[in-house]
mmCIF file of all heavy atoms in Angstrom:
data_model
loop_
_atom_site.group_PDB
_atom_site.id
_atom_site.type_symbol
_atom_site.label_atom_id
_atom_site.label_comp_id
_atom_site.label_asym_id
_atom_site.label_seq_id
_atom_site.Cartn_x
_atom_site.Cartn_y
_atom_site.Cartn_z
ATOM 1 N N ALA A 36 120.967 108.561 119.827
ATOM 2 C CA ALA A 36 119.843 108.912 119.038
ATOM 3 C C ALA A 36 118.637 108.117 119.340
ATOM 4 O O ALA A 36 117.512 108.472 118.979
ATOM 5 C CB ALA A 36 120.254 108.784 117.569
ATOM 6 N N ASN A 38 118.104 107.137 122.612
ATOM 7 C CA ASN A 38 117.987 107.294 124.077
ATOM 8 C C ASN A 38 118.398 106.067 124.898
ATOM 9 O O ASN A 38 117.836 105.725 125.969
ATOM 10 C CB ASN A 38 116.471 107.679 124.450
ATOM 11 C CG ASN A 38 116.069 108.960 123.775
ATOM 12 O OD1 ASN A 38 116.728 109.543 122.959
ATOM 13 N ND2 ASN A 38 114.851 109.371 124.059
ATOM 14 N N ASP A 175 111.553 112.145 122.061
ATOM 15 C CA ASP A 175 111.868 113.503 122.150
ATOM 16 C C ASP A 175 111.391 114.296 120.937
ATOM 17 O O ASP A 175 111.049 113.784 119.917
ATOM 18 C CB ASP A 175 113.410 113.739 122.222
ATOM 19 C CG ASP A 175 114.024 113.104 123.453
ATOM 20 O OD1 ASP A 175 113.283 113.056 124.466
ATOM 21 O OD2 ASP A 175 115.180 112.632 123.406
ATOM 22 N N ALA A 176 111.320 115.629 121.084
ATOM 23 C CA ALA A 176 110.759 116.461 120.022
ATOM 24 C C ALA A 176 111.622 116.376 118.721
ATOM 25 O O ALA A 176 111.189 116.489 117.640
ATOM 26 C CB ALA A 176 110.639 117.893 120.438
ATOM 27 N N ASP A 177 112.986 116.219 118.925
ATOM 28 C CA ASP A 177 113.973 116.106 117.815
ATOM 29 C C ASP A 177 114.315 114.742 117.525
ATOM 30 O O ASP A 177 115.319 114.545 116.770
ATOM 31 C CB ASP A 177 115.211 117.026 118.226
ATOM 32 C CG ASP A 177 115.962 116.472 119.334
ATOM 33 O OD1 ASP A 177 115.465 115.611 120.109
ATOM 34 O OD2 ASP A 177 117.045 116.931 119.569
ATOM 35 N N GLN A 178 113.574 113.741 117.979
ATOM 36 C CA GLN A 178 114.015 112.325 117.795
ATOM 37 C C GLN A 178 114.253 111.940 116.291
ATOM 38 O O GLN A 178 115.261 111.240 115.998
ATOM 39 C CB GLN A 178 112.919 111.407 118.392
ATOM 40 C CG GLN A 178 113.452 110.046 118.713
ATOM 41 C CD GLN A 178 114.078 109.969 120.098
ATOM 42 O OE1 GLN A 178 113.374 110.265 121.068
ATOM 43 N NE2 GLN A 178 115.248 109.405 120.210
ATOM 44 N N THR A 179 113.383 112.341 115.413
ATOM 45 C CA THR A 179 113.431 111.890 114.085
ATOM 46 C C THR A 179 114.721 112.466 113.371
ATOM 47 O O THR A 179 115.361 111.856 112.585
ATOM 48 C CB THR A 179 112.278 112.289 113.260
ATOM 49 O OG1 THR A 179 112.064 113.643 113.237
ATOM 50 C CG2 THR A 179 110.990 111.593 113.867
ATOM 51 N N TRP A 180 115.063 113.776 113.679
ATOM 52 C CA TRP A 180 116.295 114.380 113.063
ATOM 53 C C TRP A 180 117.565 113.674 113.517
ATOM 54 O O TRP A 180 118.466 113.381 112.805
ATOM 55 C CB TRP A 180 116.288 115.882 113.365
ATOM 56 C CG TRP A 180 115.295 116.599 112.568
ATOM 57 C CD1 TRP A 180 115.474 117.187 111.306
ATOM 58 C CD2 TRP A 180 113.946 116.925 112.970
ATOM 59 N NE1 TRP A 180 114.242 117.725 110.920
ATOM 60 C CE2 TRP A 180 113.313 117.659 111.921
ATOM 61 C CE3 TRP A 180 113.213 116.603 114.082
ATOM 62 C CZ2 TRP A 180 112.045 118.102 111.973
ATOM 63 C CZ3 TRP A 180 111.890 117.080 114.147
ATOM 64 C CH2 TRP A 180 111.292 117.761 113.117
ATOM 65 N N ARG A 181 117.593 113.394 114.840
ATOM 66 C CA ARG A 181 118.729 112.646 115.427
ATOM 67 C C ARG A 181 118.880 111.321 114.848
ATOM 68 O O ARG A 181 119.983 110.875 114.503
ATOM 69 C CB ARG A 181 118.678 112.662 116.940
ATOM 70 C CG ARG A 181 118.833 113.990 117.637
ATOM 71 C CD ARG A 181 118.301 114.067 119.033
ATOM 72 N NE ARG A 181 118.632 112.892 119.757
ATOM 73 C CZ ARG A 181 117.817 112.372 120.756
ATOM 74 N NH1 ARG A 181 116.692 112.870 121.002
ATOM 75 N NH2 ARG A 181 118.291 111.328 121.423
ATOM 76 N N TYR A 182 117.721 110.609 114.701
ATOM 77 C CA TYR A 182 117.821 109.246 114.203
ATOM 78 C C TYR A 182 118.206 109.227 112.727
ATOM 79 O O TYR A 182 118.966 108.400 112.251
ATOM 80 C CB TYR A 182 116.545 108.504 114.480
ATOM 81 C CG TYR A 182 116.603 106.983 114.103
ATOM 82 C CD1 TYR A 182 117.193 106.100 115.028
ATOM 83 C CD2 TYR A 182 116.269 106.563 112.862
ATOM 84 C CE1 TYR A 182 117.376 104.820 114.724
ATOM 85 C CE2 TYR A 182 116.454 105.195 112.563
ATOM 86 C CZ TYR A 182 117.023 104.344 113.510
ATOM 87 O OH TYR A 182 117.191 103.049 113.130
#
Side-chain angles (χ1 to χ4, degrees):
N38 300 4
D175 298 328
D177 64 347
Q178 200 86 55
T179 60
W180 287 271
R181 288 160 47 212
Y182 189 83

